[in-house]
């Protein structure tokens, strides 16, 4: 089997392809067909089936005699805790929690917000909702009260499941005051909250409204799996919208089951029973697709890791986890590897651990710069696969499908379109761009199973956000090009393409060049307003730990490097050295906010920011080069 034959097989018979993939799911009532297009451009997959996600992720493995297999490994260097949960234990725990929720009135179609750190109970809460046919909405633990309130008002949950606290290196994040603030602020009031008390902080419970996780399950009947329609929403996951009002991406139950199960073997090359580690968080889409649902549906062991790539306790923590748990595939964000590389450029920590079991490293979440990929390839000696997808799609648009065929890796490219995705590069008029020329990346409709069918209670916004710019296509919001082999190159968000004196230039291309400098551990490029040229690129450089170089020298070398590699057309003259870059908690650099600071504009503090103090550091650095003056 080759990638080409599989992709062409999908293209020639998309219905047959997905009906074939659907045979690996346990149906209560199988679908009569794959695609339901009567409401196009709103498409649904397997809509007339009946199925239950929790059954497919947990119970069926127990029924098949694999109850002793480890379902979840919890590894928390911040609390010095490790334990394992078998599929049988997971089934009993989830059935008990679901039974307790049902006893308090949670039923099929009700919404439940989950506000939890990286603990196994977060997955149990997701699965308990799925067991009942309730629609969960996971909000990143520790999110600000106002942001949580906005999500409460949008999805109107019957209940909220939360933890008493989260643990960050060196501090405890108090969830309960944030939760109480959000409930007070929200117009919609949930009926009750379930609080998982952690020993690092036991929160005060309000009688009659807050219920202790364990006590509330006492003496309840465990719940069976409730069948739902194929087009029943599995969850709502909010992604920040440009208007400041979050967009509720929804995932239909049947499409998610079929697509994620297909990806585990075909993209990631996993066999049931093996250990898969997505080093992300349940608050992000990766946590939904590849910490919780994908691995469990496929019968793998998933790792819930509560820690950071550096500092818990050192830059070797990822290697320890891989060794201790015999991880076959690691999936993380490039920013994690840049952090490790910056702390340990020569890879000394790698020598302390046995990583012989690791087969593949997958990167996603932002552009993987070639320098980071080469470092990982050299140090780990395994294929390093960049792949590209979005919260909206739920799984990879483009990847190197190692489970089908390991294609040649091209640095800077997430490889090729996956079955289900007909990816095109379009100009502003919707015409296809020639090979090698940059344009807007769009996907021909319909999108495959497992992607967003629409937005929660916001169909008009779904149309305006994704379907109107290029009729008949889903607009990804990313810009890039394809090469002669069909490999895709994602160069920037379309709003990160800057216009320098009429030349459209990718900030990502410049970041690639800067990252290749031996002293640069991490970098970002933004476009700042310029009276003469419209925009000018500005670089932010974080130097490797222990670099010791004169900063002005490094800056001038970097300016020279961009001139050599991209040319004078880039007009790259501005760069500053900073200690760190402002990022979301999932590791995305907040470039749009940096632009506003540079241009002296008002901005709203991004809800997902990891450490707001960094924005002041960026402002101070900008002042040294004559920017960030309030207008």
């Amino acid at each position: 089997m080759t990638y080409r034959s599989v992709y062409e097989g999908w293209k020639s018979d998309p219905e047959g392809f997905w009906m074939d993939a659907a045979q690996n799911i346990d149906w209560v009532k199988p679908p009569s067909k794959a695609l339901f297009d009567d409401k196009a451009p709103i498409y649904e997959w397997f809509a007339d089936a009946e199925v239950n996600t929790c059954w497919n992720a947990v119970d069926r493995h127990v029924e098949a005699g694999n109850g002793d297999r480890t379902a979840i490994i919890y590894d928390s260097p911040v609390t010095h805790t490790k334990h394992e949960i078998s599929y049988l234990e997971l089934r009993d725990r989830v059935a008990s929690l679901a039974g307790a929720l049902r006893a308090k009135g949670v039923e099929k179609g009700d919404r439940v917000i989950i506000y939890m750190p990286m603990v196994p109970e977060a997955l149990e809460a997701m699965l308990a909702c799925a067991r009942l046919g309730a629609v969960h909405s996971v909000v990143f633990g520790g999110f600000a009260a106002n942001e949580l309130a906005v999500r409460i008002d949008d999805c109107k949950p019957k209940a909220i499941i939360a933890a008493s606290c989260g643990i960050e290196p060196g501090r405890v994040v108090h969830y309960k005051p944030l939760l109480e603030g959000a409930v007070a602020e929200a117009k919609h009031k949930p009926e009750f909250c379930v609080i998982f008390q952690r020993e690092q902080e036991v929160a005060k419970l309000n009688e009659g409204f807050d219920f202790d996780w364990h006590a509330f399950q006492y003496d309840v009947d465990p719940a069976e799996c409730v069948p739902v329609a194929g087009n029943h929403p599995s969850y709502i996951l909010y992604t920040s919208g440009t208007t400041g009002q979050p967009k509720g991406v929804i995932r239909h139950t049947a499409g998610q089951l079929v697509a994620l199960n297909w990806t585990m073997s075909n993209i990631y090359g996993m066999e049931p029973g093996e250990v898969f580690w997505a080093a992300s968080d349940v608050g992000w889409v990766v946590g939904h697709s590849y910490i919780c649902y994908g691995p469990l549906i496929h019968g793998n062991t998933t790792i819930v890791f509560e820690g950071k790539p550096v500092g818990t306790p050192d830059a070797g923590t990822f290697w320890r986890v891989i060794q201790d748990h015999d991880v076959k595939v690691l999936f993380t964000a490039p920013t994690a590897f840049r952090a490790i590389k910056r702390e340990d450029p020569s890879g000394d920590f790698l020598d302390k651990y046995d990583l012989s079991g690791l087969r593949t490293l997958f990167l996603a979440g932002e552009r993987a710069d070639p320098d980071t990929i080469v470092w990982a390839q050299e140090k780990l000696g395994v294929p390093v696969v960049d792949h590209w997808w979005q919260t909206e799609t739920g799984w990879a648009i483009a990847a190197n499908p190692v489970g089908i065929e390991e294609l040649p890796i091209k640095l800077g490219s997430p490889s090729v379109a996956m079955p289900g995705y007909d990816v095109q590069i379009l100009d502003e008029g919707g015409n296809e761009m020639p090979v090698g020329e940059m344009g807007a990346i769009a996907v021909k409709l319909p999108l495959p199973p497992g992607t967003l069918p629409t937005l929660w209670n916001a169909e008009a916004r779904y149309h305006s956000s994704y379907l109107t710019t290029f009729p008949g296509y889903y607009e990804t919001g990313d810009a890039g090009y394809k090469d002669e082999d069909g490999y895709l190159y994602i160069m920037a968000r379309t709003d990160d393409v800057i216009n320098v004196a009429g030349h459209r230039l990718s900030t990502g291309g410049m970041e690639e060049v800067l990252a290749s400098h031996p002293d640069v551990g991490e970098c970002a490029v933004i476009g700042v307003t310029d009276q003469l040229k419209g925009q000018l690129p500005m670089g932010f450089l974080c130097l490797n730990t222990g670099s010791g170089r004169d900063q002005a020298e490094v800056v001038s070398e970097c300016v020279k490097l961009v001139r050599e590699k991209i040319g004078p057309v880039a007009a790259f003259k501005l760069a500053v050295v900073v200690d760190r870059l402002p990022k979301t908690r999932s590791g995305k650099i907040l470039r749009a906010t940096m632009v506003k600071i540079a241009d002296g504009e008002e901005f709203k503090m991004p809800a997902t920011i990891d450490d707001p103090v960094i924005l002041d550091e960026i402002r101070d650095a900008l002042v040294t080069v004559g920017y960030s003056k309030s207008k």
Side-chain angles (χ1 to χ4, degrees):
M1 215 169 45
T2 64
Y3 157 73
R4 188 55 54 200
S5 68
V6 173
Y7 190 81
E8 290 305 328
W10 159 70
K11 229 172 172 180
S12 63
D13 181 12
E15 296 261 342
F17 180 91
W18 291 115
M19 283 301 273
D20 193 42
Q23 289 178 15
N24 296 310
I25 297 303
D26 269 15
W27 302 99
V28 177
K29 178 185 155 212
S32 65
K33 60 176 185 171
L35 182 65
F36 290 73
D37 57 3
D38 45 317
K39 293 184 285 200
I42 303 291
Y43 294 92
E44 294 181 343
W45 293 91
F46 316 112
D48 66 353
E50 286 187 11
V51 70
N52 182 278
T53 297
C54 185
W55 174 272
N56 277 280
V58 184
D59 299 59
R60 70 166 171 165
H61 305 306
V62 178
E63 298 292 319
N66 294 317
D68 289 344
R69 182 184 289 170
T70 302
I72 298 170
I73 295 170
Y74 173 53
D75 189 310
S76 169
V78 292
T79 60
H80 312 290
T81 310
K82 284 188 216 174
H83 66 250
E84 298 184 359
I85 300 168
S86 71
Y87 272 97
L88 179 61
E89 289 169 317
L90 183 61
R91 184 198 65 186
D92 293 348
R93 289 165 73 141
V94 169
S96 167
L97 179 60
L101 290 169
R102 185 177 60 188
K104 291 218 70 67
V106 174
E107 295 171 6
K108 178 157 74 175
D110 287 337
R111 274 81 59 210
V112 176
I113 279 181
I114 297 170
Y115 186 66
M116 302 276 276
M118 281 299 288
V119 290
E121 287 77 8
L123 273 61
E124 291 170 14
M126 294 164 79
L127 291 161
C129 290
R131 195 171 190 86
L132 298 172
V135 182
H136 66 68
S137 184
V138 180
V139 177
F140 190 96
F143 237 27
N146 168 256
E147 296 295 332
L148 181 53
V150 168
R151 287 152 176 77
I152 291 171
D153 282 336
D154 194 70
C155 78
K156 300 182 170 44
K158 183 170 271 189
I160 297 178
I161 302 175
S164 57
C165 66
I167 319 289
E168 294 282 328
R171 69 190 178 111
V172 172
V173 182
H174 314 292
Y175 285 5
K176 194 68 170 50
L178 295 167
L179 178 60
E180 288 182 356
V183 171
E185 191 178 324
K187 293 183 188 70
H188 171 83
K189 304 298 179 191
E191 292 178 15
F192 66 97
C193 289
V194 180
I195 307 296
F196 175 65
Q197 298 276 27
R198 305 190 72 187
E199 61 185 55
Q200 289 76 14
E201 176 177 87
V202 177
K204 180 179 182 298
L205 302 186
N206 300 309
E207 199 173 336
F209 183 70
D210 295 327
F211 295 87
D212 174 82
W213 173 280
H214 294 290
F216 139 96
Q217 296 182 48
Y218 176 71
D219 206 23
V220 297
D221 294 326
E224 296 307 310
C225 294
V226 175
V228 299
N231 61 357
H232 181 76
S234 163
Y235 64 76
I236 305 165
L237 179 58
Y238 287 96
T239 179
S240 43
T242 46
T243 60
Q245 180 67 21
K247 292 185 286 198
V249 168
I250 61 174
R251 203 81 64 212
H252 280 174
T253 299
Q256 171 177 257
L257 284 165
V258 173
L260 293 183
N261 188 65
W262 185 88
T263 64
M264 288 304 295
S265 53
N266 290 282
I267 295 179
Y268 300 104
M270 294 298 293
E271 295 288 333
E274 292 181 330
V275 180
F276 183 86
W277 179 25
S280 179
D281 189 282
V282 287
W284 312 130
V285 69
V286 173
H288 286 60
S289 292
Y290 294 111
I291 296 176
C292 186
Y293 292 119
L296 296 177
I297 293 162
H298 196 246
N300 289 105
T301 299
T302 187
I303 294 183
V304 173
F305 173 75
E306 189 181 28
K308 303 278 185 199
V310 295
T312 59
D314 53 42
T317 193
F318 271 30
W319 319 139
R320 176 194 63 74
V321 172
I322 291 167
Q323 170 192 274
D324 287 0
H325 307 302
D326 193 21
V327 173
K328 297 302 178 196
V329 170
L330 167 62
F331 173 173
T332 191
T335 191
F337 264 71
R338 283 197 288 269
I340 294 167
K341 172 172 160 267
R342 195 180 171 198
E343 287 290 313
D344 182 23
S346 53
D348 295 339
F349 278 107
L350 281 149
D351 300 335
K352 300 180 183 177
Y353 301 99
D354 175 8
L355 306 186
S356 57
L358 185 69
R359 282 200 300 264
T360 324
L361 166 65
F362 280 85
L363 299 173
E366 55 184 338
R367 293 189 65 254
D369 57 288
D371 206 53
T372 299
I373 292 178
V374 169
W375 184 86
Q377 284 172 334
E378 287 173 355
K379 299 289 183 254
L380 294 173
V382 300
V384 178
V385 177
D386 181 20
H387 63 328
W388 171 61
W389 48 296
Q390 303 177 319
T391 300
E392 288 85 349
T393 66
W395 59 283
I397 303 169
N400 193 326
V402 299
I404 299 170
E405 174 192 14
E406 203 178 300
L407 300 170
I409 286 170
K410 296 190 184 188
L411 291 179
S413 170
S415 303
V416 290
M418 289 297 92
Y421 295 98
D422 182 348
V423 181
Q424 308 285 347
I425 312 294
L426 306 176
D427 67 13
E428 284 162 359
N431 307 302
E432 220 174 314
M433 297 291 284
V435 164
E437 289 197 27
M438 193 159 76
I441 305 173
V443 183
K444 208 163 194 283
L445 295 174
L447 291 177
T451 56
L452 85 166
T454 182
L455 294 171
W456 176 253
N457 286 345
E459 198 167 294
R461 191 172 178 197
Y462 173 65
H463 282 272
S464 63
S465 297
Y466 304 106
L467 307 182
T468 48
T469 309
F470 305 111
Y473 288 88
Y474 163 82
E475 181 188 5
T476 66
D478 282 307
Y481 64 90
K482 273 198 241 183
D483 71 10
E484 61 285 351
D485 298 322
Y487 276 60
L488 200 56
Y489 292 77
I490 319 296
M491 298 314 291
R493 292 294 291 170
T494 38
D495 46 15
D496 285 334
V497 175
I498 61 173
N499 198 321
V500 181
H503 297 280
R504 282 166 62 76
L505 297 167
S506 146
T507 53
M510 292 181 221
E511 287 174 6
E512 253 174 47
V513 173
L514 295 174
S516 70
H517 188 287
D519 290 292
V520 174
E522 193 166 26
C523 62
V525 174
I526 61 169
V528 296
T529 303
D530 180 73
Q531 258 35 70
L532 182 65
K533 293 181 185 274
Q535 282 182 300
L536 280 177
M538 176 180 286
F540 296 80
L541 313 171
C542 300
L543 305 189
N544 283 321
T545 306
S547 157
R549 290 283 312 279
D550 177 68
Q551 294 186 359
E553 267 181 39
V554 175
V555 167
S556 96
E557 287 168 15
C558 283
V559 168
K560 189 162 162 265
L561 207 52
V562 175
R563 268 187 90 82
E564 283 170 11
K565 301 273 196 218
I566 295 179
V569 64
F572 186 85
K573 302 187 188 76
L574 297 166
V576 287
V577 173
V578 292
D579 278 342
R580 48 203 187 140
L581 296 169
K583 292 179 188 171
T584 65
R585 290 166 173 184
S586 64
K588 285 192 172 68
I589 297 166
L590 292 161
R591 292 178 183 81
T593 307
M594 293 165 78
V595 170
K596 285 197 163 74
I597 294 171
D599 288 345
E601 291 178 16
E602 289 289 311
F603 66 91
K604 180 172 179 267
M605 179 67 71
T608 54
I609 192 165
D610 192 29
D611 184 354
V613 175
I614 301 176
L615 295 182
D616 295 330
E617 296 170 13
I618 295 294
R619 184 180 281 110
D620 294 345
L622 282 161
V623 169
T624 66
V625 286
Y627 279 81
S628 187
K629 300 183 177 76
S630 303
K631 292 187 174 164

